[in-house]
Amino acid sequence: MTDNQKDSHKSTVERSKDVYHSKAQSNPRITLAMMHPRHWPQWFASWILRLIILLPYPVFMTIGRLLGYIAMAILPRRRHISEQNFKLAFPDMPDEEIHRLTKEHFANCGMGIFETGMAWYWPEWRLKRLVHIDPEELRKARELAESGKGIVVLTCHFVTLELMARIYGTNIKKGVGVYRPNDNPIIEYMQVKGRTRSNLYLVDRKEPRPIVKALMKGLPIWYAPDQDYGKRLPHVFAPFFAVKDAATVTGTAGFAKIRNTVVQPSYSIRLPKFKGYRLVVKDIIRDFPTGDDYQDATTCNHAVESMIMEALPQYMWLHRRFKTTPDGSDRYHNL
């Protein structure tokens, strides 16, 4: 091998290391390695979850609230992050209200654990009794789903997100879930098997090509662009509540540029007094995208804000939504 060939081979190897290979699975299987004792705690937790959600709905949801209160006590950093997020998003909110909302948020997170179990393991007949959809919204959503258009289902990280995907998939149209593969094989197996009950398949959020293919086939994709992904994904700084420079991914507008694709806001919220869940399906966003990344990100953030304001404690405030800043400063420096 000549020196030039060696240099070329070395360059190829180095480039291959930089290529991201998708970890998304379409049909995960249980392997012998997954039975290793180090994985037993995950399997045990899975079966405990399945057993608890056999209880009456109000009973295990009450247990979930208690678990949330316990988590708030033993996870002070996450509690501080939630409080800081409320202060940043709503600077005029009194401290007493922030404390109340933080406490209620952790209760919602506790309930969200069992709602994930419901989405993954409950039979359709049991879940159907708790689902409420406006008939006119349902009619228009089904008409759009059957139109052959690609649909970016714009949603956000409510604690009920897993349920939302299943409710939408079973009542309107099965689609494609965009997710982050987990390195733990047990968690990865459970989340893929659970989510594909109502999805055709899942795609890695770092791999845009299968998302584009799904939209070109006229399938819905669930896309939640409301978290701060740092420098990992293309983003702009756009207003989100009172924060004028929240890092916002530009993927929604990017996918909406695909021929015959529309953006449809949709989300689910938990109803009070154990009455179940309401799936909301809005009309498509008109004149979108505009081609201006900042304006398009602002439009998406406004849509997400309106969702969150319907059920403020049900949003995932314990993530550092505002961690990335234009100047690199830390809005969470006191944590």
Side-chain angles (χ1 to χ4, degrees):
M1 182 181 292
T2 66
D3 291 341
N4 287 339
Q5 288 175 323
K6 290 179 180 179
D7 291 341
S8 176
H9 175 72
K10 181 179 179 181
S11 177
T12 301
V13 171
E14 289 175 347
R15 285 198 304 270
S16 68
K17 292 179 180 179
D18 296 330
V19 175
Y20 178 80
H21 299 285
S22 176
K23 300 176 183 177
Q25 300 185 49
S26 58
N27 185 28
R29 301 178 184 277
I30 297 177
T31 64
L32 186 61
M34 293 165 67
M35 295 295 104
H36 191 280
R38 69 173 177 273
H39 296 308
W40 289 359
Q42 287 90 22
W43 287 119
F44 180 73
S46 170
W47 284 105
I48 290 295
L49 177 61
R50 293 188 188 208
L51 288 174
I52 290 177
I53 61 175
L54 293 176
L55 296 170
Y57 175 72
V59 173
F60 69 72
M61 291 301 277
T62 301
I63 296 173
R65 290 188 66 87
L66 295 174
L67 289 177
Y69 295 145
I70 294 172
M72 182 176 174
I74 65 176
L75 299 173
R77 184 172 183 273
R78 288 296 171 183
R79 173 169 58 83
H80 291 319
I81 289 173
S82 299
E83 292 173 342
Q84 183 75 340
N85 280 332
F86 280 123
K87 290 177 181 177
L88 291 168
F90 308 101
D92 297 328
M93 184 178 287
D95 290 343
E96 295 79 8
E97 180 65 4
I98 289 176
H99 177 74
R100 185 193 70 81
L101 283 172
T102 301
K103 183 177 180 181
E104 185 61 22
H105 170 55
F106 272 86
N108 275 270
C109 289
M111 290 187 283
I113 295 172
F114 298 121
E115 286 165 337
T116 297
M118 292 165 58
W120 290 0
Y121 304 124
W122 260 23
E124 190 58 36
W125 63 266
R126 191 176 182 190
L127 183 59
K128 189 176 181 180
R129 295 186 300 182
L130 294 175
V131 174
H132 306 274
I133 311 173
D134 179 88
E136 182 63 14
E137 289 185 5
L138 181 60
R139 181 189 66 80
K140 291 193 291 185
R142 285 176 172 172
E143 284 182 358
L144 179 62
E146 296 305 317
S147 69
K149 295 181 181 293
I151 305 172
V152 178
V153 183
L154 175 62
T155 190
C156 68
H157 285 83
F158 279 127
V159 297
T160 55
L161 181 57
E162 295 285 348
L163 271 177
M164 178 267 168
R166 183 171 179 192
I167 293 169
Y168 187 105
T170 55
N171 287 277
I172 299 174
K173 185 177 182 178
K174 288 183 180 292
V176 177
V178 180
Y179 86 123
R180 181 178 69 85
N182 197 292
D183 291 333
N184 184 297
I186 312 305
I187 297 175
E188 173 68 0
Y189 171 81
M190 290 188 291
Q191 72 174 354
V192 174
K193 295 294 286 188
R195 289 171 178 173
T196 50
R197 290 188 64 142
S198 58
N199 292 294
L200 295 174
Y201 55 92
L202 302 181
V203 295
D204 192 330
R205 70 183 185 189
K206 293 183 178 180
E207 287 287 295
R209 186 173 297 178
I211 300 176
V212 172
K213 288 182 178 179
L215 291 170
M216 293 180 68
K217 291 178 181 178
L219 297 175
I221 66 161
W222 284 263
Y223 195 66
D226 57 301
Q227 291 192 337
D228 186 336
Y229 297 104
K231 298 180 180 179
R232 290 173 289 175
L233 297 174
H235 64 276
V236 294
F237 292 98
F240 189 62
F241 289 112
V243 178
K244 302 303 181 184
D245 55 0
T248 305
V249 295
T250 57
T252 311
F255 295 132
K257 293 176 184 177
I258 297 169
R259 183 175 58 86
N260 207 29
T261 295
V262 297
V263 176
Q264 177 189 50
S266 182
Y267 54 99
S268 66
I269 56 176
R270 186 189 314 106
L271 300 172
K273 299 180 180 179
F274 307 115
K275 291 182 179 179
Y277 303 87
R278 178 165 64 93
L279 178 69
V280 181
V281 189
K282 299 287 189 179
D283 292 334
I284 64 173
I285 300 178
R286 301 291 179 181
D287 302 318
F288 184 89
T290 65
D292 182 325
D293 285 342
Y294 174 84
Q295 183 58 51
D296 292 335
T298 300
T299 297
C300 291
N301 281 350
H302 285 337
V304 171
E305 288 172 7
S306 67
M307 301 177 193
I308 295 171
M309 291 307 297
E310 288 198 40
L312 199 58
Q314 294 182 32
Y315 184 64
M316 293 290 287
W317 293 103
L318 48 72
H319 289 291
R320 293 193 299 163
R321 175 60 186 91
F322 308 110
K323 65 183 178 181
T324 304
T325 58
D327 60 2
S329 59
D330 187 2
R331 287 189 255 248
Y332 301 90
H333 62 277
N334 60 332
L335 300 180

